[in-house]
Amino acid sequence: MTIRSYNPADPADLVAEAPRPGTEAVEAAVARARAAQSGWLAAGAGARSAALTRIAEAVEAHAEELAELVVREVGKPIAEARGEVARTAAIWRYYAQAPFAASGEVHETAGGPGLLLTRRRPYGVAGLITPWNFPLAIPTWKAAPALAVGNSVVLKPSSEAIGVARRLGELIAGAGLPADVFTVLPGGGAEGGTLVAAADVVSFTGSTGVGRQVVRTATERGIPVQAELGGLNAAIVLPDADIDQAAAHLANAIAGYAGQKCTATSRVVAVGEAYEPLRAALVKALAAVDETSCGPVINEATRDEITAAVASAQEVGAEVLTGGGVPERDGWYLDPTLVAGVPDDHPLRREEFFGPIAVLHAAADLDEAIAIANDTPYTLSASVHTRNLDAALAAADRLNAGMIRVNAPSSGVDFHLPFGGAKGASHGAREQGQAALDFYTQSRTVTLLPAGGA
């Protein structure tokens, strides 16, 4: 069976294809990675740091090629694709310094001569399962820290981003990593399940259903696992906010890259007198979003799922304030959409739809707005728009989200800070920054006493 990846802006354009390797090939790749890992660790901090630096240089040297491939394979607008490439190089450079960081502490003994040490060591083989929406950045922010601390990596990318993943793998190999230290292995659910069953530490980003199965399998094996799953993210706008600025931020967070970000805004909560001016400003801002900022959704099934959800909401009384249609053009495009009056039990209010669509809510005050924002099964990111410091601090303290951004779009992420959500959005340790280095290592306590008598 062959995996094929098509251009979502031109569905007749076959971007990449690869045979499904099968479960035995996954087991063999993990075995080779495990055999290569000890040499990678033994090469030392200097070798690992230099290798990660060379990878960053390779990404930069092929920046425009990579950006164009990202545009073609996953439909990301070119400005965002270039930004992702730059961010990818920056992540490799950031973690290139990690091998030189302290990996433990020295403690005094309770009595007598000797030393007590703690030391963090890699697990072995990191099994990484990544989505299509950030086909360079997400594999990088998982692989770079895993490699920096001495693990080897087997990456199973999304079937809809195999072209980008394989090109990244070629650049990494060309940067001089030893054979089998980094392996890209396209595949489907069977291959992913086998990787989870064979690796020593697992990091997953993807759908909630698959992620829960990954967590179950890894937990039953007793190995560390982190999973980034769905996100139903809210933006709260208070009456004292700069309404035009808030609308611009929200339009970007709703429709930028067609809303295909885990941190995209899918619910807007307008407080009190902010409702009418925000409604007008946001409708105007979304109507002005064009394909250079939005782009297509990833495939026909996603487009049809969203249009069906909008139609069913209208049948039960919801109002489409802007968008809701499908442009007459090739590709899986959707008009940026804002819907109001959606019933509480409708899927648009309870489930993540990976597209350029959001639901507008009204709240009497900040307390009600926070209650609406927190009323979800999962929240990754939230934003608050206000000039009032007290309101911003209250929201930051009470919103049940992994990341809270004030006067900024919910969709921004800083790669050197912890990344993760609340409730069902995440499982396990945070990603990125120092948190990632901790996740890919285990702590050992060493007692070192003198030999012989005094």
PDB file of all heavy atoms in Angstrom, residues 87 252-253 261 263-264 381-382 403-405 408-415 419 432:
ATOM      1  N   ARG A  87      11.792  29.704  12.235  1.00  0.00           N
ATOM      2  CA  ARG A  87      11.608  29.193  13.588  1.00  0.00           C
ATOM      3  C   ARG A  87      12.266  27.822  13.748  1.00  0.00           C
ATOM      4  O   ARG A  87      12.874  27.524  14.793  1.00  0.00           O
ATOM      5  CB  ARG A  87      10.117  29.114  13.887  1.00  0.00           C
ATOM      6  CG  ARG A  87       9.754  28.570  15.249  1.00  0.00           C
ATOM      7  CD  ARG A  87       8.251  28.545  15.340  1.00  0.00           C
ATOM      8  NE  ARG A  87       7.781  27.913  16.544  1.00  0.00           N
ATOM      9  CZ  ARG A  87       6.516  27.566  16.758  1.00  0.00           C
ATOM     10  NH1 ARG A  87       5.611  27.814  15.839  1.00  0.00           N
ATOM     11  NH2 ARG A  87       6.142  27.002  17.875  1.00  0.00           N
ATOM     12  N   ASN A 252      -6.732  37.067  12.801  1.00  0.00           N
ATOM     13  CA  ASN A 252      -5.519  36.300  12.552  1.00  0.00           C
ATOM     14  C   ASN A 252      -5.568  34.943  13.228  1.00  0.00           C
ATOM     15  O   ASN A 252      -5.184  33.917  12.648  1.00  0.00           O
ATOM     16  CB  ASN A 252      -4.307  37.095  13.041  1.00  0.00           C
ATOM     17  CG  ASN A 252      -3.008  36.322  12.932  1.00  0.00           C
ATOM     18  OD1 ASN A 252      -2.638  35.595  13.845  1.00  0.00           O
ATOM     19  ND2 ASN A 252      -2.319  36.486  11.822  1.00  0.00           N
ATOM     20  N   ALA A 253      -6.054  34.910  14.474  1.00  0.00           N
ATOM     21  CA  ALA A 253      -6.091  33.662  15.242  1.00  0.00           C
ATOM     22  C   ALA A 253      -7.192  32.721  14.765  1.00  0.00           C
ATOM     23  O   ALA A 253      -7.103  31.511  14.955  1.00  0.00           O
ATOM     24  CB  ALA A 253      -6.276  33.968  16.728  1.00  0.00           C
ATOM     25  N   LYS A 261      -4.349  25.535  13.433  1.00  0.00           N
ATOM     26  CA  LYS A 261      -3.346  25.556  14.487  1.00  0.00           C
ATOM     27  C   LYS A 261      -4.004  25.073  15.772  1.00  0.00           C
ATOM     28  O   LYS A 261      -5.160  25.426  16.050  1.00  0.00           O
ATOM     29  CB  LYS A 261      -2.807  26.971  14.692  1.00  0.00           C
ATOM     30  CG  LYS A 261      -2.211  27.602  13.445  1.00  0.00           C
ATOM     31  CD  LYS A 261      -1.793  29.049  13.702  1.00  0.00           C
ATOM     32  CE  LYS A 261      -1.275  29.704  12.450  1.00  0.00           C
ATOM     33  NZ  LYS A 261      -0.874  31.114  12.662  1.00  0.00           N
ATOM     34  N   THR A 263      -3.522  26.168  18.536  1.00  0.00           N
ATOM     35  CA  THR A 263      -3.742  27.352  19.368  1.00  0.00           C
ATOM     36  C   THR A 263      -4.702  28.353  18.736  1.00  0.00           C
ATOM     37  O   THR A 263      -4.861  29.466  19.254  1.00  0.00           O
ATOM     38  CB  THR A 263      -2.402  28.048  19.636  1.00  0.00           C
ATOM     39  OG1 THR A 263      -1.755  28.308  18.375  1.00  0.00           O
ATOM     40  CG2 THR A 263      -1.498  27.186  20.498  1.00  0.00           C
ATOM     41  N   ALA A 264      -5.351  28.001  17.627  1.00  0.00           N
ATOM     42  CA  ALA A 264      -6.283  28.926  16.964  1.00  0.00           C
ATOM     43  C   ALA A 264      -7.465  29.254  17.870  1.00  0.00           C
ATOM     44  O   ALA A 264      -7.882  28.456  18.713  1.00  0.00           O
ATOM     45  CB  ALA A 264      -6.778  28.317  15.662  1.00  0.00           C
ATOM     46  N   SER A 381      -4.809  27.174  24.558  1.00  0.00           N
ATOM     47  CA  SER A 381      -4.406  28.570  24.659  1.00  0.00           C
ATOM     48  C   SER A 381      -5.639  29.452  24.784  1.00  0.00           C
ATOM     49  O   SER A 381      -6.709  29.115  24.285  1.00  0.00           O
ATOM     50  CB  SER A 381      -3.606  28.965  23.413  1.00  0.00           C
ATOM     51  OG  SER A 381      -3.200  30.307  23.457  1.00  0.00           O
ATOM     52  N   ALA A 382      -5.484  30.579  25.466  1.00  0.00           N
ATOM     53  CA  ALA A 382      -6.569  31.561  25.583  1.00  0.00           C
ATOM     54  C   ALA A 382      -5.968  32.948  25.455  1.00  0.00           C
ATOM     55  O   ALA A 382      -4.788  33.161  25.752  1.00  0.00           O
ATOM     56  CB  ALA A 382      -7.292  31.419  26.919  1.00  0.00           C
ATOM     57  N   MET A 403      -1.747  28.093  28.136  1.00  0.00           N
ATOM     58  CA  MET A 403      -1.074  29.331  27.757  1.00  0.00           C
ATOM     59  C   MET A 403      -2.107  30.448  27.699  1.00  0.00           C
ATOM     60  O   MET A 403      -3.176  30.276  27.116  1.00  0.00           O
ATOM     61  CB  MET A 403      -0.387  29.172  26.404  1.00  0.00           C
ATOM     62  CG  MET A 403       0.736  28.144  26.426  1.00  0.00           C
ATOM     63  SD  MET A 403       1.458  27.851  24.800  1.00  0.00           S
ATOM     64  CE  MET A 403       0.100  26.982  24.007  1.00  0.00           C
ATOM     65  N   ILE A 404      -1.787  31.582  28.294  1.00  0.00           N
ATOM     66  CA  ILE A 404      -2.706  32.722  28.348  1.00  0.00           C
ATOM     67  C   ILE A 404      -1.972  33.939  27.828  1.00  0.00           C
ATOM     68  O   ILE A 404      -0.912  34.309  28.330  1.00  0.00           O
ATOM     69  CB  ILE A 404      -3.209  32.955  29.781  1.00  0.00           C
ATOM     70  CG1 ILE A 404      -3.968  31.714  30.271  1.00  0.00           C
ATOM     71  CG2 ILE A 404      -4.103  34.188  29.842  1.00  0.00           C
ATOM     72  CD1 ILE A 404      -4.144  31.635  31.761  1.00  0.00           C
ATOM     73  N   ARG A 405      -2.527  34.563  26.810  1.00  0.00           N
ATOM     74  CA  ARG A 405      -1.878  35.686  26.139  1.00  0.00           C
ATOM     75  C   ARG A 405      -2.760  36.925  26.272  1.00  0.00           C
ATOM     76  O   ARG A 405      -3.956  36.869  25.978  1.00  0.00           O
ATOM     77  CB  ARG A 405      -1.608  35.336  24.682  1.00  0.00           C
ATOM     78  CG  ARG A 405      -0.580  34.204  24.540  1.00  0.00           C
ATOM     79  CD  ARG A 405      -0.514  33.631  23.149  1.00  0.00           C
ATOM     80  NE  ARG A 405      -0.229  34.620  22.137  1.00  0.00           N
ATOM     81  CZ  ARG A 405       1.003  35.060  21.829  1.00  0.00           C
ATOM     82  NH1 ARG A 405       2.057  34.602  22.512  1.00  0.00           N
ATOM     83  NH2 ARG A 405       1.178  35.940  20.869  1.00  0.00           N
ATOM     84  N   ALA A 408      -2.858  39.818  22.663  1.00  0.00           N
ATOM     85  CA  ALA A 408      -2.124  39.113  21.612  1.00  0.00           C
ATOM     86  C   ALA A 408      -3.004  37.972  21.109  1.00  0.00           C
ATOM     87  O   ALA A 408      -3.883  37.498  21.830  1.00  0.00           O
ATOM     88  CB  ALA A 408      -0.807  38.567  22.143  1.00  0.00           C
ATOM     89  N   PRO A 409      -2.792  37.527  19.873  1.00  0.00           N
ATOM     90  CA  PRO A 409      -3.565  36.379  19.385  1.00  0.00           C
ATOM     91  C   PRO A 409      -3.278  35.124  20.204  1.00  0.00           C
ATOM     92  O   PRO A 409      -2.161  34.939  20.710  1.00  0.00           O
ATOM     93  CB  PRO A 409      -3.070  36.211  17.940  1.00  0.00           C
ATOM     94  CG  PRO A 409      -2.443  37.509  17.570  1.00  0.00           C
ATOM     95  CD  PRO A 409      -1.890  38.074  18.839  1.00  0.00           C
ATOM     96  N   SER A 410      -4.268  34.260  20.314  1.00  0.00           N
ATOM     97  CA  SER A 410      -4.061  33.002  21.039  1.00  0.00           C
ATOM     98  C   SER A 410      -3.078  32.095  20.322  1.00  0.00           C
ATOM     99  O   SER A 410      -2.531  31.169  20.922  1.00  0.00           O
ATOM    100  CB  SER A 410      -5.400  32.260  21.195  1.00  0.00           C
ATOM    101  OG  SER A 410      -5.892  31.829  19.928  1.00  0.00           O
ATOM    102  N   SER A 411      -2.823  32.351  19.051  1.00  0.00           N
ATOM    103  CA  SER A 411      -2.071  31.414  18.222  1.00  0.00           C
ATOM    104  C   SER A 411      -0.564  31.604  18.264  1.00  0.00           C
ATOM    105  O   SER A 411       0.166  30.930  17.538  1.00  0.00           O
ATOM    106  CB  SER A 411      -2.552  31.506  16.766  1.00  0.00           C
ATOM    107  OG  SER A 411      -2.565  32.855  16.321  1.00  0.00           O
ATOM    108  N   GLY A 412      -0.043  32.494  19.070  1.00  0.00           N
ATOM    109  CA  GLY A 412       1.404  32.663  19.157  1.00  0.00           C
ATOM    110  C   GLY A 412       2.026  31.684  20.141  1.00  0.00           C
ATOM    111  O   GLY A 412       1.441  31.364  21.171  1.00  0.00           O
ATOM    112  N   VAL A 413       3.235  31.222  19.833  1.00  0.00           N
ATOM    113  CA  VAL A 413       3.960  30.297  20.701  1.00  0.00           C
ATOM    114  C   VAL A 413       5.428  30.717  20.745  1.00  0.00           C
ATOM    115  O   VAL A 413       6.020  31.008  19.709  1.00  0.00           O
ATOM    116  CB  VAL A 413       3.856  28.846  20.196  1.00  0.00           C
ATOM    117  CG1 VAL A 413       4.730  27.918  21.022  1.00  0.00           C
ATOM    118  CG2 VAL A 413       2.411  28.372  20.221  1.00  0.00           C
ATOM    119  N   ASP A 414       6.002  30.742  21.926  1.00  0.00           N
ATOM    120  CA  ASP A 414       7.432  31.012  22.101  1.00  0.00           C
ATOM    121  C   ASP A 414       8.143  29.687  22.343  1.00  0.00           C
ATOM    122  O   ASP A 414       7.849  28.990  23.322  1.00  0.00           O
ATOM    123  CB  ASP A 414       7.654  31.958  23.285  1.00  0.00           C
ATOM    124  CG  ASP A 414       7.003  33.316  23.059  1.00  0.00           C
ATOM    125  OD1 ASP A 414       7.463  34.031  22.170  1.00  0.00           O
ATOM    126  OD2 ASP A 414       6.030  33.630  23.769  1.00  0.00           O
ATOM    127  N   PHE A 415       9.097  29.345  21.465  1.00  0.00           N
ATOM    128  CA  PHE A 415       9.642  27.987  21.492  1.00  0.00           C
ATOM    129  C   PHE A 415      10.535  27.707  22.691  1.00  0.00           C
ATOM    130  O   PHE A 415      10.880  26.550  22.934  1.00  0.00           O
ATOM    131  CB  PHE A 415      10.403  27.683  20.195  1.00  0.00           C
ATOM    132  CG  PHE A 415      11.632  28.539  19.967  1.00  0.00           C
ATOM    133  CD1 PHE A 415      12.809  28.306  20.645  1.00  0.00           C
ATOM    134  CD2 PHE A 415      11.592  29.566  19.046  1.00  0.00           C
ATOM    135  CE1 PHE A 415      13.934  29.078  20.424  1.00  0.00           C
ATOM    136  CE2 PHE A 415      12.714  30.350  18.812  1.00  0.00           C
ATOM    137  CZ  PHE A 415      13.884  30.109  19.503  1.00  0.00           C
ATOM    138  N   PHE A 419       5.168  24.427  26.583  1.00  0.00           N
ATOM    139  CA  PHE A 419       4.016  24.386  25.693  1.00  0.00           C
ATOM    140  C   PHE A 419       3.138  23.205  26.088  1.00  0.00           C
ATOM    141  O   PHE A 419       3.599  22.065  26.153  1.00  0.00           O
ATOM    142  CB  PHE A 419       4.489  24.217  24.247  1.00  0.00           C
ATOM    143  CG  PHE A 419       3.387  24.064  23.236  1.00  0.00           C
ATOM    144  CD1 PHE A 419       2.815  25.175  22.641  1.00  0.00           C
ATOM    145  CD2 PHE A 419       2.927  22.808  22.877  1.00  0.00           C
ATOM    146  CE1 PHE A 419       1.802  25.027  21.697  1.00  0.00           C
ATOM    147  CE2 PHE A 419       1.911  22.653  21.936  1.00  0.00           C
ATOM    148  CZ  PHE A 419       1.356  23.772  21.345  1.00  0.00           C
ATOM    149  N   GLN A 432       8.926  21.787  24.743  1.00  0.00           N
ATOM    150  CA  GLN A 432       9.733  22.979  24.500  1.00  0.00           C
ATOM    151  C   GLN A 432      10.541  23.419  25.728  1.00  0.00           C
ATOM    152  O   GLN A 432      10.255  23.024  26.861  1.00  0.00           O
ATOM    153  CB  GLN A 432       8.875  24.133  23.986  1.00  0.00           C
ATOM    154  CG  GLN A 432       8.103  23.805  22.721  1.00  0.00           C
ATOM    155  CD  GLN A 432       7.472  25.000  22.054  1.00  0.00           C
ATOM    156  OE1 GLN A 432       7.316  25.033  20.855  1.00  0.00           O
ATOM    157  NE2 GLN A 432       7.090  25.994  22.809  1.00  0.00           N
TER     158      GLN A 432
END
